[in-house]
Amino acid sequence: MANTEAPYGTWHSPVDAALVAAHDGSPEYLGAVGAEVWWTEPRPQEGGRRALMRLREDREQPAESVLPAPWNVRNRMIEYGGLPWAGVERPTGGPLVVFTHFADQRLYAFAPDDPATEPWPLTPLSAVGEGLRWCDPVVRPEQGDVTCVLEEFTGEGPTELRRLPVSVPLDGSAAEDRGGVRELTPATHRFLTGPRFSPDGRQAAWLAWDHPSMPWDGTLLRLAEVDADGGFLRVRTVAGGTEESVAQVEWAADGSLLFASDRTGWWNLHRLEPDGDTAVNLCPCAEEFAGGLWRIGYRWFVPLLSGLVAVLHGQGGMVLGVLDPDGGEVVDMPGPWTEWSASLAVSGSRVVGIAAGAQRGHEIVELDTRDGHGRVIARPHQDAVHPDYYPQPQVRVFRGPDGREVHGNLYPPRHPELVAPEGELPPYAVWVHGGPTSRSPLVLDLEIAYFTSRGIGVVEVNYGGSTGYGREYRNRLREQWGVVDVMDCATAARALAAEGVADPERIAIRGGSAGGWTSAASLTSPDTEGVYACGTISYPILDLEGWAEGETHDFESQYLESLVGPLAEQRARYRDRSPAAHAERVSVPFLLLQGLDDVICPPVQCERFLDKVTTGSGAPHAYLTFEGEGHGFRRADSIVRAVEAELALYDRVFGLNRQDVPALELTE
C-alpha cells in the first residue's frame, strides 16, 4: 500500500504523552539475594515512587513488588541517590532485607516471608538540616549489623555535612539513638562509597574523594584491616589520586582486590598485587570498563566464584562480557542488547543485569557463564505500539571546526504510513544530555519516538566532556563548559543542515540540568546565532556565580572549579558565560520547565534569567513549574505536561498546525 504524503511534523502517532509517561524510567540497583534477583523500578502512576521487586529462584512466576505504597525505596545520598537496599539469605525464615525509605530517609529492615512483621526502623531521624541519609548497604547477619555510608547534616546549609562509613545494628537498637550507630573511621574525606569486605572479612576497601575533584577526576582507593571487634585499622591509600579516577572496587573470591582505574587514559580493570603497591591491568585496551560515578553503588563489573569477571565495556555503548583475568580475553554475550546499565549482580555461575537496545526497552537479562546462554528473566520487552513507529537510529561522528570528533546518535523521522512531500526537509531537535560528565545511550526511548513518529528528527550529542570515549575526551570540557559543549552541539546541527538531513530553518535545542545549561548557553552565544529556531530548557543552571555560591547541593558545589575554572581567579569568566548575564541575546522563543522542589538547580535560577529576558530581549517564552517535582520529573502527569508543551512549542514555531496538544501560550 502506498504511503500517504503529509508534511514533516504533522504526522499522527499512537505514541502519545501518556504512553511516554507510563514507560518513563528504567529498573535500577539490581542485586542477588541467594539465587533470587531483586531490583527497584519506577512507578510514574504512583507519584514516581520506586518499588522494590523480587524474582524467585525458579524464575517461573512474574516478579512481585514486596512493599506496597507508600513505601518508596530510594535515598537522597549526594541528592542523586545511591544503592538503597541490600539483602541476604538466612538459614530459616527467608531473606533479610534492609532499605532506605524516601519519605524520611531512614534505614529499615524487613523479612519479606513474614507478612505479620512490618518493616522496622534501624536508624533515627534528625532535626538538623536535611537530616541523616544512608546508602550502599552491606548486610552482615553474623556481625548483627549493616554497614553503609552515612551522610549527616551538621547545620542548615546544603554543604554543612559529613560522610563516613558506619555500622548500624540490625536489632533496631539505634532507631532512636544516633549514638548507637558506630563510626568505622573518622570523617576523613568529603565523599566515599560503602565498604566492601574481603572474603575472609579481615579487610575492607572503598573509594573516597574530596572537593574540588569529582569522582571522574580523581578518587582514592582506600584499604583497611578489620579487627576482631569490626573496627577499621591502618587505613591507607593503595591506588588513585587527583588525576586518576578509580570508579569501582570489588573483592574476588580468591581474596584479590579488583578495581576500575583510568590511569591508562581509559577505565580499565586492574588487580592489586599482594605487595599492595603494584596494579596489573587485566585487559589493556582503549575501552571503558566503568563510567561516571553519579550514584553511589554503581557496578560495572562483578567477580564470579570461578575467578572469571563479568564486565561491561566498550566505546560509547557498553556491552556485557566475561573476562578471563589470566589471559586478558573478553567474550561478549550475544543478543540484541547494545547497552547495559551499571547494575550487575552474580549468583553462582549466573550473571544478571539490566539491558536495552535500539528497538527494545530495559529488560532483566541473565547469562549462564557455563554455557554462554542468555535469556530475559523479567520485564520482557513488549512493544507498546507497532515497532514501525520506532526510529531506526544511527551512530554518527561529526567533525568540529578544528577537526575534532563529536559523537552522536541520529534518530530520523519514521512512520509506517506517512511520508513527507518530495524535497521537504524535516525539523530536528538537538538533545543535550545532563551531567555534563555523562552520555546519551543508544536505546529505545519512547520520548524520542514521540517526536520522530510525528515527523520531527532527533540528534543526541555526546559532546566533548562526555563519558564513554576515554579520559582525554572527558577532559576537553575542563574550563571549557559553555564553549566546547555549545560548539559541539552546533557542529551536529550545522552538519545535518549541510548534509540536507535537517531543515536549517527548523532546528531546536533542548536539554535538562547540564543539558538545560547548554541549551540556554546556545541561545545566548554569539557563536551559535541563527542555528536554532527555538529551545526547551529544563531544570537548568543559568547563573554560574549563584550556583557556585550556595545555590546547589554539596556534591556539585565545586564542580565548576574544573568545568569553568577557580572562582576566585575567574569570576569574570563565570559572569561572561552565564546565560543569565546575556539574556538580552535570546532572540527565539523558548520553553522553560522547572520543578519547584529542585535543590540541585533551584527555581531561583530560572526566575533570575526570566527577569532579565523580560527586561532585555523580550523573547517569547513560556515558564511551566511543577509542584512536588525535584531535579527531573517522575510523576506521570508532570511528564505528560512537559512532553506536550515541548511539542506545542514546535507546533507554534515550526508552523505545524497540530490539533492534538494544548496550545502553548508564550509571554512576550
Side-chain angles (χ1 to χ4, degrees):
M1 184 175 67
N3 288 339
T4 302
E5 282 193 357
Y8 283 118
T10 68
W11 300 348
H12 62 80
S13 172
V15 185
D16 60 17
L19 195 64
V20 172
H23 290 78
D24 184 70
S26 65
E28 290 181 321
Y29 302 119
L30 181 145
V33 182
E36 297 183 349
V37 180
W38 291 54
W39 65 89
T40 69
E41 64 181 40
R43 292 285 189 268
Q45 303 292 346
E46 299 178 27
R49 84 176 182 101
R50 301 291 301 197
L52 184 59
M53 306 300 296
R54 177 186 191 183
L55 182 66
R56 306 273 182 165
E57 179 179 358
D58 59 16
R59 312 288 195 261
E60 296 298 325
Q61 298 301 316
E64 58 194 282
S65 175
V66 297
L67 291 166
W71 292 110
N72 188 356
V73 183
R74 178 178 158 222
N75 60 55
R76 290 181 59 185
M77 178 68 62
I78 65 172
E79 292 300 350
Y80 287 112
L83 182 63
W85 74 274
V88 293
E89 279 189 303
R90 296 183 296 178
T92 60
L96 176 67
V97 176
V98 300
F99 68 95
T100 52
H101 178 43
F102 187 74
D104 59 16
Q105 291 298 297
R106 297 174 85 180
L107 192 65
Y108 288 81
F110 81 115
D113 291 344
D114 182 5
T117 304
E118 291 290 314
W120 62 92
L122 301 181
T123 57
L125 296 169
S126 172
V128 179
E130 294 291 332
L132 302 170
R133 301 171 183 176
W134 319 83
C135 179
D136 208 7
V138 173
V139 184
R140 306 192 301 172
E142 299 83 0
Q143 289 78 17
D145 74 351
V146 51
T147 61
C148 59
V149 178
L150 165 62
E151 181 176 85
E152 180 175 30
F153 280 78
T154 58
E156 298 299 326
T159 62
E160 296 180 72
L161 45 72
R162 59 200 291 263
R163 299 181 184 90
L164 65 163
V166 297
S167 166
V168 178
L170 282 170
D171 61 8
S173 58
E176 305 297 335
D177 178 18
R178 168 63 181 84
V181 176
R182 182 182 183 185
E183 300 183 2
L184 298 176
T185 72
T188 307
H189 295 282
R190 191 69 173 183
F191 303 97
L192 69 155
T193 63
R196 298 286 181 264
F197 295 92
S198 60
D200 61 9
R202 295 179 180 178
Q203 297 183 86
W206 65 94
L207 306 181
W209 66 98
D210 293 290
H211 283 143
S213 289
M214 299 299 286
W216 39 85
D217 295 325
T219 58
L220 304 176
L221 172 50
R222 303 281 276 168
L223 185 64
E225 298 175 19
V226 182
D227 66 18
D229 195 35
F232 289 1
L233 304 174
R234 288 177 279 281
V235 180
R236 61 199 185 279
T237 296
V238 294
T242 56
E243 292 296 325
E244 178 186 353
S245 168
V246 180
Q248 184 189 343
V249 59
E250 302 289 344
W251 294 92
D254 64 0
S256 58
L257 192 62
L258 307 180
F259 62 97
S261 164
D262 71 350
R263 58 178 58 188
T264 65
W266 297 82
W267 273 306
N268 283 180
L269 191 60
H270 293 73
R271 180 181 62 227
L272 188 69
E273 294 295 88
D275 61 16
D277 297 317
T278 306
V280 175
N281 191 336
L282 299 179
C283 185
C285 59
E287 291 188 7
E288 305 283 36
F289 286 71
L293 189 63
W294 280 98
R295 298 184 181 182
I296 307 303
Y298 276 168
R299 287 195 176 99
W300 292 273
F301 70 88
V302 285
L304 288 93
L305 292 175
S306 63
L308 301 174
V309 185
V311 295
L312 303 182
H313 70 108
Q315 282 196 35
M318 301 194 84
V319 297
L320 174 65
V322 178
L323 169 67
D324 178 356
D326 295 327
E329 181 183 1
V330 179
V331 177
D332 289 341
M333 175 182 176
W337 306 284
T338 57
E339 187 71 43
W340 290 71
S341 302
S343 191
L344 292 180
V346 162
S347 177
S349 64
R350 294 176 294 179
V351 180
V352 189
I354 302 168
Q359 298 290 308
R360 56 198 307 127
H362 291 87
E363 304 173 291
I364 310 298
V365 181
E366 183 175 73
L367 168 67
D368 192 326
T369 58
R370 294 171 300 182
D371 57 17
H373 178 67
R375 60 173 180 144
V376 176
I377 58 172
R379 287 183 57 98
H381 171 76
Q382 296 180 338
D383 289 315
V385 297
H386 194 283
D388 284 350
Y389 288 97
Y390 302 154
Q392 293 183 328
Q394 307 164 21
V395 176
R396 290 293 306 270
V397 179
F398 305 99
R399 290 288 175 178
D402 60 356
R404 70 174 182 262
E405 292 184 347
V406 178
H407 296 274
N409 304 322
L410 185 68
Y411 301 83
R414 185 177 185 231
H415 196 288
E417 301 169 359
L418 301 174
V419 295
E422 186 176 354
E424 183 187 356
L425 295 178
Y428 258 79
V430 175
W431 281 34
V432 193
H433 65 70
T437 313
S438 184
R439 175 175 59 88
S440 293
L442 190 75
V443 298
L444 177 62
D445 183 339
L446 288 185
E447 189 172 5
I448 292 177
Y450 176 87
F451 293 101
T452 58
S453 63
R454 286 169 169 76
I456 300 171
V458 169
V459 58
E460 297 176 316
V461 182
N462 287 320
Y463 48 82
S466 301
T467 56
Y469 309 99
R471 185 172 184 115
E472 182 179 352
Y473 195 83
R474 293 202 315 274
N475 283 352
R476 284 186 191 175
L477 210 57
R478 283 196 170 180
E479 299 198 12
Q480 294 297 310
W481 197 36
V483 179
V484 166
D485 51 324
V486 168
M487 295 309 298
D488 283 1
C489 288
T491 290
R494 287 173 171 142
L496 296 180
E499 295 169 8
V501 172
D503 183 347
E505 302 300 319
R506 296 191 294 172
I507 298 179
I509 188 167
R510 60 95 80 179
S513 188
W517 152 269
T518 302
S519 299
S522 297
L523 298 185
T524 57
S525 170
D527 295 330
T528 54
E529 186 175 0
V531 174
Y532 305 108
C534 60
T536 299
I537 304 166
S538 302
Y539 37 93
I541 302 160
L542 296 167
D543 175 7
L544 293 176
E545 277 190 287
W547 206 72
E549 294 184 317
E551 289 180 1
T552 191
H553 61 144
D554 184 61
F555 178 58
E556 293 177 277
S557 62
Q558 295 187 35
Y559 197 1
L560 302 184
E561 294 285 302
S562 60
L563 289 176
V564 183
L567 178 61
E569 302 169 12
Q570 302 291 347
R571 188 173 290 271
R573 182 188 293 172
Y574 279 60
R575 293 170 181 165
D576 183 58
R577 290 195 192 162
S578 293
H582 302 290
E584 75 282 355
R585 295 177 182 166
V586 182
S587 59
V588 300
F590 66 91
L591 169 65
L592 192 56
L593 306 173
Q594 178 66 47
L596 294 179
D597 293 346
D598 193 342
V599 298
I600 296 173
C601 295
V604 67
Q605 292 261 318
C606 291
E607 294 159 5
R608 191 176 299 139
F609 177 70
L610 289 176
D611 286 344
K612 295 184 178 181
V613 168
T614 302
T615 59
S617 69
H621 63 272
Y623 180 41
L624 304 183
T625 59
F626 299 81
E627 292 186 6
E629 293 284 14
H631 198 63
F633 307 144
R634 296 175 178 270
R635 300 180 177 184
D637 56 343
S638 302
I639 297 167
V640 167
R641 186 183 179 206
V643 169
E644 291 185 341
E646 184 175 349
L647 180 60
L649 175 69
Y650 301 156
D651 176 48
R652 181 159 177 167
V653 174
F654 297 157
L656 306 178
N657 195 29
R658 301 194 65 95
Q659 304 298 317
D660 56 348
V661 290
L664 184 68
E665 297 297 326
L666 298 180
T667 300
E668 299 190 32

